[in-house]
Amino acid sequence: MKDVAELKTLHAALLDIVRDAGKCVMDVYATDFEVTDKSDNSPVTQADKKADEVIVARLKALTPDIFIVSEESTEAGQRPADGAPFWLVDPLDGTKEFINRNGEFTVNVALIENGQPVLGVVLAPALGRLFSGIAGVGAWLEDADGAREIRCRVPPGEGLTVVASRSHGDAAALDAYLAGRKVADLRNAGSSLKICLVAAGEADVYPRLGRTMEWDIAAGHAVLVAAGGRIEQVDGSPFSYGKPDFANPHFAAWGLGA
C-alpha cells in the first residue's frame, strides 16, 4: 500500500502523462480519421491506439513493478497477481462521442490497490477539463477558470440532479431505480464525465444500468471517492475491482446523501 507522499508523486507524474495522451487524441480529432471495429464490434480509432501507446510506455517507465490493464492493449487472459496493485487505463473513453465530435470523451487512468481506486485522472481534452483525485487527500478540477479543489454536494431541497449516459440509455430501468426519489433535473453526458460531474457537485447521482468495464469508470471513481462520494452496486452492496473478466455489475455513483 503506497503512502500519501508516494501517491502525491504519482499524481503529479500522472497528470503529465494524461495531458500528453490528450494531445495525441486531439491531434487525431483534428483530422478526417478512420473508424474500425474491434473484435467485439465496438469502434476504435487511431486516437485510442496512439494515446494507449503513450500512457502504457510512460507508466511502465514510472512504475515498472505495477501491472497495467488497458482496454486497448491488454491481451485476453492477462491480469495482475491476486492482491497486487494495478493500473487501469482507458486511453479514449467515449469513442462514440469522439466519432460524433461532441467533445464528451475522456482519457482515464487509475491506480487500484486492494480492489479500490486510490488515484485517478480524467481528462476531457476537447472540453478543457482535467479532473483528478487521491483517496483520503482530495480531488481537483483544472479548467478555463484555473485549478481548484472539488467536493460532492448535499442534494438541494428541490431534488436530485441525475446524470445519465448519452450513448447507452434505458429509460425504464432508470425510472425504476429512481422511483420514490425526488428528481429535479435529468442531464445527459458522455464517457466518465458523468462520474466527475457528481464529484464536482454539478450532479448528485449517476445510475449506470447497463454494461461497463472496469477501465471505463475506475479513474472517475477515484476522483469521486476523493471528493467525498461513492460507487455501489444498485442493490447497495460494495463495488470492487480486479474481477475475473473486468466487467462491472450495474452501479450507481452517488455524491453526498442517498
Side-chain angles (χ1 to χ4, degrees), residues 123-159:
L123 172 64
L127 303 180
R129 306 192 90 188
L130 176 63
F131 300 87
S132 65
I134 304 171
V137 177
W140 304 273
L141 167 60
E142 295 179 25
D143 60 13
D145 295 325
R148 60 196 180 277
E149 189 165 4
I150 55 174
R151 292 286 297 173
C152 299
R153 71 180 186 182
V154 175
E158 58 265 28

Side-chain angles (χ1 to χ4, degrees), residues 39-56:
S39 58
D40 63 357
N41 294 320
S42 63
V44 65
T45 71
Q46 279 299 112
D48 303 71
K49 297 172 184 177
K50 289 184 176 181
D52 182 74
E53 290 171 0
V54 168
I55 294 168
V56 170

Side-chain angles (χ1 to χ4, degrees), residues 17-211:
I17 293 171
V18 171
R19 286 189 185 104
D20 287 346
K23 291 175 185 174
C24 292
V25 168
M26 293 307 293
D27 285 346
V28 176
Y29 196 56
T31 69
D32 185 18
F33 54 83
E34 292 185 4
V35 180
T36 57
D37 286 336
K38 295 190 288 189
S39 58
D40 63 357
N41 294 320
S42 63
V44 65
T45 71
Q46 279 299 112
D48 303 71
K49 297 172 184 177
K50 289 184 176 181
D52 182 74
E53 290 171 0
V54 168
I55 294 168
V56 170
R58 297 273 291 277
L59 287 179
K60 285 181 177 178
L62 179 66
T63 55
D65 57 329
I66 298 180
F67 191 87
I68 302 168
V69 177
S70 171
E71 177 181 14
E72 299 304 332
S73 59
T74 301
E75 295 181 8
Q78 289 188 326
R79 55 179 301 103
D82 288 346
F86 62 98
W87 293 104
L88 271 171
V89 176
D90 191 345
L92 181 56
D93 182 37
T95 301
K96 291 180 181 178
E97 282 73 23
F98 182 86
I99 293 167
N100 293 333
R101 297 184 184 274
N102 70 11
E104 294 181 345
F105 50 86
T106 56
V107 179
N108 301 336
V109 184
L111 178 63
I112 306 299
E113 290 189 340
N114 299 317
Q116 297 299 315
V118 296
L119 167 66
V121 176
V122 176
L123 172 64
L127 303 180
R129 306 192 90 188
L130 176 63
F131 300 87
S132 65
I134 304 171
V137 177
W140 304 273
L141 167 60
E142 295 179 25
D143 60 13
D145 295 325
R148 60 196 180 277
E149 189 165 4
I150 55 174
R151 292 286 297 173
C152 299
R153 71 180 186 182
V154 175
E158 58 265 28
L160 299 169
T161 292
V162 180
V163 63
S165 174
R166 189 177 297 284
S167 299
H168 309 277
D170 185 338
L174 181 63
D175 288 345
Y177 179 75
L178 295 171
R181 295 183 170 98
K182 188 177 180 182
V183 175
D185 190 24
L186 177 64
R187 298 178 57 185
N188 287 306
S191 68
S192 56
L193 277 171
K194 296 180 286 292
I195 301 174
C196 293
L197 294 178
V198 178
E202 298 175 31
D204 301 299
V205 60
Y206 161 44
R208 180 54 188 254
L209 309 173
R211 178 178 171 82

Side-chain angles (χ1 to χ4, degrees), residues 1-13 119 134-135 137:
M1 185 78 175
K2 298 192 179 303
D3 62 25
V4 169
E6 291 176 304
L7 289 174
K8 286 182 176 179
T9 298
L10 288 175
H11 174 260
L119 167 66
I134 304 171
V137 177

